[in-house]
């Protein structure tokens, strides 16, 4: 079945979408009146109000707005200075996903729920004043963020005979999250960053979970290498368990890996890591998981950014040295290493490339696009539209997510339109928006400049050129290899499945072409592919993704030790930590 639409059908849809994104009301369809009581807030609130409709009672509607085919309906509007008791109208003018407008919702019975993702005003050092959703300890998860208001789901009918206006009250507030406890081996570090505080104009912190070596207290003279695991926000140290698995744990099936009782598998591997870590022959080092959530996403991408601030410098020059000071790290570039997958894969490679002397090796799994000629399936420098293949007479939608057999679950347009429901001005807190927030220059309004029109997909070549010179890692390597090459020799190790769900292998292949062809100097690293493997293959040819993702430390700790053996400078401490 063809997805192409005649232009006469497309143009009115695009016009309606553009009007909706600007908040213009549309005729017909149901109307919702949303309020919040004074006992939830006595002060006016700013934020993004999301109204959701669901015909699936498996979970609350706020947990059912997803990229895949099971998504329920959501419609978003911005609110500024919203006072308690004041009604906000959500009608046919609200931008919607996966149905564009409430006017297109079929008659029937639905559960309705609304949620306000609250914004905070920031007066940044660059002079811009912006309203953004602060992280509140949850890692920028809009439907679980403490302090956000939401309504108790109610069943309603839409269609002939339904009420002209449906009232919804935000009668609930998401409570604060407790701080996970430390243990003998797992410690929490939190610092106020001078660099980020200056940028954001308000006290801004960085955090980390630190796994300390077995025998740390018994060997006070030992100083340790450090392995930094980059990735999404870690609520606590992931994949670690200091007690045997719960034998009574009720099994949960993992659709992602097609594995039954996957929660039990995770507990078993977490317990195995503890056993390996405390064994006599496991490498002794510090392992760090960085907490760097920000108003745009659950992590910063570990680089300096016009919109997010100097997170790269803050992590490398403030947080890492403080961790090394507290836990007796060696404190030298040759003793610092990076690893991670997906977002963490890109971050690990970016930190290694942009801070070549401060780290001594990066193990990069299934990285986010490292060459923007293959920004998933879009060539940002040659394509005119991100959502559709360039064509004179038909519209072929670009895929956004596939499974290992190539079946498409969502398109780039659908994924971006879901984000637009959750937030305008790059404020959704989701994947495509954070790439834009990190990589784009600041716009005149203080928010990131769009890489493409969020409604239509039209690419801005001027913004793409900025991305290329500052964050296209493959381009930076090629542009600066004469000076970067000698400092990166033997440090880059890249892994990806050739059926990555988000087509991330395409950018790896382009990068490999350069790395394998350059000989002045040779890069001396590794690029490897998992045959038929999906996201996020990490270089393990002996296990499936569902298992190898639980063994990063066991995989990479021995490689770090070997890297130290062949690269540590003369006179370096390569023995005090070998207890």
């Amino acid at each position: 079945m063809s997805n192409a639409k005649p232009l006469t059908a497309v143009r009115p849809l695009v016009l309606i979408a553009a009007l909706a994104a600007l908040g213009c009301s549309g005729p017909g369809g149901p109307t919702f009146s949303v309020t919040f009581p004074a006992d939830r807030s006595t002060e006016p609130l700013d934020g993004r109000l999301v109204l959701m409709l669901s015909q699936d009672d498996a979970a609350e509607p706020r947990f059912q707005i997803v990229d895949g085919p099971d998504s329920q309906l959501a419609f978003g509007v911005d609110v500024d200075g919203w006072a308690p008791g004041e009604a906000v109208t959500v009608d046919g003018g609200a931008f919607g996903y996966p149905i564009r407008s409430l006017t297109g919702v079929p008659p029937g019975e639905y559960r309705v729920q609304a949620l306000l993702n609250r914004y905070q005003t920031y007066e940044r050092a660059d002079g811009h004043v912006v309203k953004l959703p602060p992280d509140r300890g949850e890692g920028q998860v809009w439907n679980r963020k403490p302090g956000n208001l939401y309504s108790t789901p109610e069943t309603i009918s839409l269609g002939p005979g339904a009420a002209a206006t449906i009232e919804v009250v935000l009668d609930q507030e998401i409570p604060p999250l407790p701080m996970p406890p430390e243990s003998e081996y797992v410690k929490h570090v939190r610092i106020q960053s001078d660099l980020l505080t200056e940028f954001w104009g308000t006290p801004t912190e960085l955090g980390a979970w630190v796994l300390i070596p077995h025998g740390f207290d018994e060997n006070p003279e030992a100083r340790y290498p450090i392995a930094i695991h980059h990735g999404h926000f870690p609520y606590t140290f992931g994949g670690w368990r200091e007690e045997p698995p719960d034998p009574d744990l009720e099994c949960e099936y993992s659709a992602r890996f097609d594995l039954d009782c996957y929660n039990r598998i995770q507990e078993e591997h977490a317990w195995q890591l503890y056993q390996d870590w405390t064994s006599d022959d496991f490498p002794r080092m510090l392992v760090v998981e960085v907490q760097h959530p920000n108003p745009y996403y659950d992590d910063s991408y570990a680089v300096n950014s016009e919109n997010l601030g100097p997170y790269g410098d803050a992590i490398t020059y403030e947080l890492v040295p403080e961790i090394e000071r507290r836990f007796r790290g060696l404190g030298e570039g040759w003793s610092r290493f990076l690893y991670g997958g997906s977002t963490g894969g890109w971050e690990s490679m970016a930190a290694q490339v942009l801070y070549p002397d401060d780290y001594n090796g990066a193990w990069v799994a299934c990285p986010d696009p490292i060459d923007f000629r293959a920004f998933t399936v879009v060539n940002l420098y040659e394509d005119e539209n991100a959502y559709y293949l360039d064509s004179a007479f038909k519209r072929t939608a670009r895929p956004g997510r596939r499974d290992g057999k190539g079946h498409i679950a969502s398109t780039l347009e659908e994924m971006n339109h879901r984000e637009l429901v959750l937030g305008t001005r790059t404020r959704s807190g989701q994947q495509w928006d954070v790439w834009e927030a990190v990589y784009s220059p600041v716009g005149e309004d203080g928010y990131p400049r769009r890489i493409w029109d969020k409604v239509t997909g039209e690419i801005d070549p001027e913004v793409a050129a900025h991305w290329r010179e500052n964050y296209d890692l493959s381009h930076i390597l090629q542009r600066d290899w004469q000076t970067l090459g000698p400092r990166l020799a033997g440090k880059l190790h890249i892994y990806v499945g050739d059926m990555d769900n988000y087509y991330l292998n395409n950018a790896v292949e382009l990068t490999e072409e350069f790395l394998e062809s350059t000989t002045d100097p040779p890069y001396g690293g590794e690029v490897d592919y998992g045959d038929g493997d999906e996201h996020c293959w990490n270089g393990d040819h002996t296990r499936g993704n569902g298992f190898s993702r639980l063994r990063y430390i066991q995989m990479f700790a021995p490689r770090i030790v070997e890297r130290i053996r062949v690269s540590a400078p003369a006179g370096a401490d390569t023995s005090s930590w070998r207890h």
Side-chain angles (χ1 to χ4, degrees), residues 266-342:
Q266 289 174 303
E267 285 201 356
E268 290 166 359
H269 279 73
W271 168 242
Q272 184 62 54
L273 174 58
Y274 169 79
Q275 293 176 295
D276 292 342
W277 188 258
T278 57
S279 65
D280 291 337
D281 57 355
F282 199 84
R284 308 302 186 207
M285 62 183 64
L286 302 169
V287 178
V288 175
E289 294 189 354
V290 181
Q291 291 179 316
H292 43 131
N294 57 81
Y296 282 103
Y297 199 51
D298 74 352
D299 63 79
S300 68
Y301 273 69
V303 293
N304 297 342
S305 163
E306 287 191 22
N307 295 288
L308 273 68
Y311 271 93
D313 286 355
I315 292 170
T316 299
Y317 301 132
E318 292 181 325
L319 181 62
V320 171
E322 177 60 18
I323 293 170
E324 291 171 328
R325 184 189 70 80
R326 293 191 195 184
F327 300 103
R328 304 199 309 267
L330 286 160
E332 302 288 344
W334 66 265
S335 66
R336 297 173 181 156
F337 302 88
L338 302 152
Y339 71 95
S342 194

Side-chain angles (χ1 to χ4, degrees), residues 219-243:
N219 296 271
E221 79 292 344
R223 299 177 66 218
Y224 300 95
I226 186 170
I228 299 166
H229 179 201
H230 275 300
H232 294 294
F233 177 80
Y235 179 61
T236 186
F237 195 91
W240 172 265
R241 185 179 179 87
E242 297 181 15
E243 57 186 24

Side-chain angles (χ1 to χ4, degrees), residues 17-40:
L19 291 173
L22 294 172
C24 304
S25 295
T31 297
F32 295 85
S33 176
V34 186
T35 59
F36 70 90
D39 63 357
R40 290 302 167 197

